[in-house]
Amino acid sequence: LFRSPALGFKVAYDPGYAGSPTSSTADSVAWEYDLQHGGYLDASVSGARSNGQTPLQAVDAMRAAHFSQFSPVYSLPLPGVGYVVGAGKVFEGEWTPLSGQSQTERVAIIAAARGRLMVRVVCEAPKIHDSGDHPNPAEIGDGADQFCDDLLDSISWPGTHQ
């Protein structure tokens, strides 16, 4: 369980499934995994005071600050962060590791606000094509889609009993 002491939101991840976070601060928690078919899954949950910002503005600000070279692919229809409806978009861009070849990456950024709290979830992984036998409309890393869905559902907000 991760709990933000200042903001009060929680991420109730299953360590048997999610493992231990790679990093955390007072207001964020993150994981990084090697994927079976190459590349990495980077996933993070962070909170901040909304300061009048809408979830869509938070998504666009996160992209501008951390993924400015990525282009929008599509908007996510009514995504939920801990069962609070927010806004989200999927972006695509090229990423080049310190050693190795560049690859096409997809990043999903989802945000929701409740009261004065904004919670943002970011999932980045290599782009893969939808195989048909396992639908993956985001075309984001093998298994990354399920991990990120589970992460979104594991978030609880201050004053709720999830």
Side-chain angles (χ1 to χ4, degrees):
L1 176 73
F2 168 83
R3 184 181 186 284
S4 170
L7 300 173
F9 73 93
K10 298 179 213 167
V11 182
Y13 62 91
D14 175 2
Y17 170 70
S20 297
T22 309
S23 65
S24 64
T25 68
D27 300 322
S28 68
V29 60
W31 290 263
E32 182 180 296
Y33 292 107
D34 291 327
L35 296 173
Q36 285 182 333
H37 302 293
Y40 295 92
L41 160 65
D42 291 304
S44 66
V45 178
S46 61
R49 297 281 176 222
S50 61
N51 295 325
Q53 194 177 48
T54 68
L56 183 57
Q57 290 169 328
V59 167
D60 290 337
M62 181 70 74
R63 179 202 160 246
H66 301 285
F67 302 97
S68 60
Q69 75 279 22
F70 282 51
S71 300
V73 179
Y74 62 88
S75 294
L76 297 168
L78 302 174
V81 175
Y83 304 100
V84 172
V85 175
K89 293 181 182 178
V90 173
F91 303 91
E92 186 174 301
E94 292 297 312
W95 178 78
T96 304
L98 294 174
S99 62
Q101 294 182 328
S102 69
Q103 61 187 14
T104 302
E105 295 271 316
R106 285 269 172 111
V107 61
I109 304 174
I110 301 102
R114 185 170 186 260
R116 293 184 291 159
L117 173 61
M118 182 76 67
V119 174
R120 302 160 301 207
V121 177
V122 177
C123 290
E124 179 187 8
K127 179 181 178 180
I128 61 166
H129 295 287
D130 190 354
S131 64
D133 61 335
H134 176 71
N136 184 358
E139 295 184 323
I140 190 168
D142 206 9
D145 55 339
Q146 188 61 54
F147 181 87
C148 294
D149 281 347
D150 292 346
L151 195 57
L152 286 164
D153 293 342
S154 74
I155 296 165
S156 60
W157 298 78
T160 62
H161 300 284
Q162 294 177 331

